Amino acid sequence: MQQNKIKHINSLNEETKSQTLILPIIKNKDFSVDLLDMNANRLLIDTMLNEDISTNGEITVLHTPKSLFPNFNYLRIFCIGLGLIEESNLSSVRKSGGSLGRYFLNSKIEEANIFIDSLNLFDNEELIESFIEGFFLGNYSFDKYKNKKSKSDNFFEITSTDSKLAIKNITTKSYEKSEAEKNARNLVNEPANYLTPSKLADISSTISNKKLKCNILDKNECKKLGMNAFLGVSQGSIEEPKLIHLSYKPLPNENSFWYIGKAITFDSGGLSLKPSGSMFSMKGDMGGSAAVISAINAIANLGLMVNIDVLCLATENMPSGSAQRPSDVVEAMDGTYIEVENTDAEGRLTLADAITYAKTFDPKFIIDVATLTGAASIGLGKGNISAFSNNEKFMKNVKNAGEKSGDHVWQLPLDSVSKKQNNSTIADIKNTGGRLAGSITAAHFINHFVGEIPWVHLDIAANSMTSSNDGWHNKGATGIPTRLLIELAYIFEK
Ligand code: BES
Ligand code: MN
Ligand code: ZN
């Protein structure tokens, strides 16, 4: 898979590998930048006077051949328009960065120097970070299974001449966040015959290190814990289920924030089989686990001073002679009897036992992230993640992290009317609540197991994959909400 490397430098005249200069252009009368070459400066100023090259997301290439620009280090300048300064925000800037990153996917250019002095006009380090992050995120493709790779590895230099700017910090943060999100995309894009529950467990062990501990439980250990809701989902598959627990604890003797991810490596629906059209994208039903695993890895790399635990109960949901039947009753780890009305509502069954397991560690807060219901897309479309909570303070933190990362969340209610839809005639609760308010009844089901612990549930079924290139996302997996989870850790750190 294609990899990016970065390096920061302090002057355009420093030893450089790149022949391409990237220049963000903000629409503002005070725009100024010194390219350290009179001819190149004049070319830029004249072009800006005569053409509109600052429109948001627009790319203009200025060629600076050696014959005409003998003293200029670069053969071309890629100008990327950021639009009007007063209309810029984190997402608009990330979007422009994204279009340029995507443009580079289809070009032969492998090395470029991003000259960010022009961004000082913003007087806002977060906006600079967002532009660089967008660029890295747009520069993503999944070509692992193409013998002919479209793109080789990239090398990007980032130049700032401003000694006051915390450039190292900005680039490290944007690089770690974008690498994490791209890592999540890789996991979601990976076909289910390659990414089995055991493979996901192996990957989690591989990223563990001195700071990040990994504990894997197998089927028998889960059985001993009484995780029958989880194991009921897995019993139709020949793939072994795995409990994956990653733990990052820089602060001894402090309780953790728990990030739980749905990890269905393939959701056929089970005996309540999905029609083939809806089944095709179900290799992505582990999008929640991809995000939480990638996020904790970045949080540990960045060395944030906050204790985080990640938990993923990984399994396939398959039909077979040994599969769970619609109408089966399972006893969950906390003793709740669940009537399985529909085997395709499997995510909430695995989350039920995940939450009970997490509760044995006395968490400060639980966030679960799950591609849980098709109804999430019907309710909100793709522009927002459907969110639910029993604690407004934590919900506010998650909303703020969503604004910062551009993974926007919208809260839906946990009302007492729809809660009754989960009532079962023969058991404590059933795993479906009918057609109405499908995302809300799923959230109520999870809430039953959470109880009073501060909790936020993110239903990312609408957002985990996209069918078109848009902003900093390319067709396929989005990696949402990896960066939200990292920003949340920054909020918890304070
Ligand atoms: N994994 C699906 C939800 C999903 C749908 C994710 C579309 C991504 C895109 C989930 O397990 C599921 O099948 N949910 C059912 C629940 C129903 C049976 C109550 C659904 O949404 O139809
Ligand atoms: Mn399902
Ligand atoms: Zn599912």
Side-chain angles (χ1 to χ4, degrees):
M1 213 113 27
Q2 166 227 356
Q3 289 233 310
N4 290 333
K5 292 224 165 51
I6 52 163
K7 181 191 167 195
H8 1 88
I9 50 184
N10 300 321
S11 157
L12 282 187
N13 272 352
E14 229 174 88
E15 189 67 17
T16 172
K17 271 181 83 178
S18 320
Q19 297 187 314
T20 303
L21 192 69
I22 292 175
L23 192 60
I25 310 274
I26 299 170
K27 200 173 199 159
N28 184 274
K29 61 176 176 16
D30 293 331
F31 182 92
S32 81
V33 62
D34 187 3
L35 302 175
L36 298 184
D37 181 82
M38 219 173 63
N39 293 341
N41 279 342
R42 177 157 305 154
L43 172 70
L44 180 65
I45 291 165
D46 283 356
T47 314
M48 284 187 69
L49 280 175
N50 296 319
E51 318 279 337
D52 186 6
I53 61 169
S54 52
T55 310
N56 208 333
E58 190 161 307
I59 297 160
T60 310
V61 187
L62 306 177
H63 293 276
T64 50
K66 275 276 167 285
S67 53
L68 294 172
F69 299 81
N71 302 319
F72 192 48
N73 263 344
Y74 302 87
L75 293 181
R76 57 194 84 82
I77 307 171
F78 275 74
C79 301
I80 169 72
L82 298 195
L84 285 165
I85 189 160
E86 53 274 21
E87 287 173 9
S88 296
N89 55 48
L90 291 175
S91 285
S92 74
V93 168
R94 191 183 300 105
K95 246 184 171 156
S96 303
S99 358
L100 186 64
R102 182 158 46 248
Y103 184 94
F104 267 79
L105 282 179
N106 303 313
S107 87
K108 295 257 173 330
I109 297 166
E110 285 164 14
E111 285 142 5
N113 183 357
I114 312 174
F115 186 38
I116 60 166
D117 272 12
S118 57
L119 297 178
N120 287 344
L121 255 187
F122 283 141
D123 198 21
N124 179 335
E125 294 194 350
E126 287 187 353
L127 283 169
I128 302 179
E129 184 182 309
S130 200
F131 173 77
I132 301 173
E133 181 178 287
F135 177 79
F136 290 146
L137 289 169
N139 191 250
Y140 170 83
S141 66
F142 185 79
D143 57 7
K144 187 173 174 189
Y145 299 106
K146 283 183 185 290
N147 276 316
K148 199 168 166 291
K149 306 284 182 230
S150 58
K151 191 79 195 163
S152 52
D153 294 355
N154 283 155
F155 176 76
F156 295 114
E157 292 163 318
I158 296 168
T159 301
S160 163
T161 64
D162 182 351
S163 55
K164 291 191 299 298
L165 196 70
I167 180 68
K168 188 149 188 269
N169 201 14
I170 292 174
T171 47
T172 311
K173 254 178 96 175
S174 51
Y175 182 73
E176 279 299 335
K177 285 193 284 175
S178 50
E179 283 297 301
E181 180 165 307
K182 295 201 281 191
N183 186 50
R185 293 179 190 176
N186 284 342
L187 290 172
V188 172
N189 282 327
E190 189 74 32
N193 58 328
Y194 284 89
L195 193 78
T196 60
S198 305
K199 187 70 202 290
L200 190 62
D202 287 348
I203 291 172
S204 304
S205 312
T206 323
I207 63 164
S208 69
N209 52 43
K210 254 215 203 106
K211 295 199 294 186
L212 187 60
K213 300 279 167 257
C214 179
N215 189 25
I216 309 289
L217 301 190
D218 64 15
K219 184 175 154 190
N220 285 333
E221 290 165 301
C222 293
K223 178 109 207 113
K224 276 191 207 127
L225 287 166
M227 296 186 153
N228 301 312
F230 169 46
L231 295 175
V233 174
S234 75
Q235 75 191 33
S237 169
I238 55 167
E239 291 294 336
E240 273 261 327
K242 297 283 174 196
L243 178 151
I244 302 165
H245 179 188
L246 285 160
S247 184
Y248 170 64
K249 296 222 167 82
L251 305 169
N253 315 321
E254 254 197 49
N255 295 357
S256 278
F257 297 95
W258 279 67
Y259 289 7
I260 298 179
K262 173 174 170 181
I264 305 296
T265 59
F266 190 75
D267 180 14
S268 71
L271 286 177
S272 312
L273 197 65
K274 284 183 185 297
S276 47
S278 336
M279 206 189 289
F280 183 73
S281 61
M282 285 302 133
K283 67 172 184 181
D285 210 16
M286 33 54 70
S289 66
V292 295
I293 292 169
S294 306
I296 196 173
N297 189 27
I299 291 165
N301 286 346
L302 288 161
L304 298 197
M305 292 310 282
V306 52
N307 287 354
I308 306 275
D309 276 277
V310 150
L311 181 65
C312 303
L313 269 50
T315 175
E316 285 189 325
N317 184 26
M318 299 297 263
S320 77
S322 65
Q324 158 162 275
R325 291 150 288 255
S327 81
D328 279 3
V329 171
V330 289
E331 185 184 0
M333 184 178 169
D334 75 341
T336 301
Y337 285 105
I338 307 168
E339 182 184 13
V340 181
E341 191 173 55
N342 188 319
T343 63
D344 197 12
E346 83 297 337
R348 63 197 82 180
L349 295 170
T350 65
L351 290 170
D353 282 343
I355 289 194
T356 307
Y357 183 78
K359 278 168 79 175
T360 64
F361 294 84
D362 197 14
K364 258 192 200 162
F365 159 83
I366 294 176
I367 183 165
D368 79 81
V369 186
T371 46
L372 206 64
T373 65
S377 334
I378 308 297
L380 297 186
K382 300 182 81 66
N384 279 277
I385 297 169
S386 300
F388 303 83
S389 181
N390 60 3
N391 183 302
E392 288 312 308
K393 181 178 153 236
F394 279 107
M395 188 66 244
K396 185 113 212 304
N397 286 336
V398 174
K399 281 179 186 162
N400 289 341
E403 286 314 301
K404 175 93 202 283
S405 63
D407 300 341
H408 301 288
V409 306
W410 193 262
Q411 189 178 3
L412 293 170
L414 285 163
D415 62 286
S416 57
V417 176
S418 54
K419 186 176 177 188
K420 293 197 205 101
Q421 292 171 225
N422 287 336
N423 289 351
S424 160
T425 34
I426 69 156
D428 297 319
I429 196 168
K430 62 187 169 91
N431 77 331
T432 50
R435 234 168 58 81
L436 302 183
S439 304
I440 302 180
T441 53
H444 272 303
F445 183 91
I446 300 167
N447 197 178
H448 170 94
F449 298 89
V450 168
E452 300 301 315
I453 295 184
W455 156 78
V456 169
H457 160 58
L458 298 182
D459 189 336
I460 56 161
N463 326 88
S464 183
M465 284 188 165
T466 174
S467 51
S468 57
N469 295 340
D470 184 27
W472 55 92
H473 296 135
N474 294 341
K475 188 176 176 212
T478 61
I480 284 176
T482 306
R483 285 177 305 103
L484 179 155
L485 295 168
I486 301 170
E487 296 298 349
L488 188 61
Y490 275 106
I491 294 174
F492 288 151
E493 198 188 26
K494 293 203 182 105

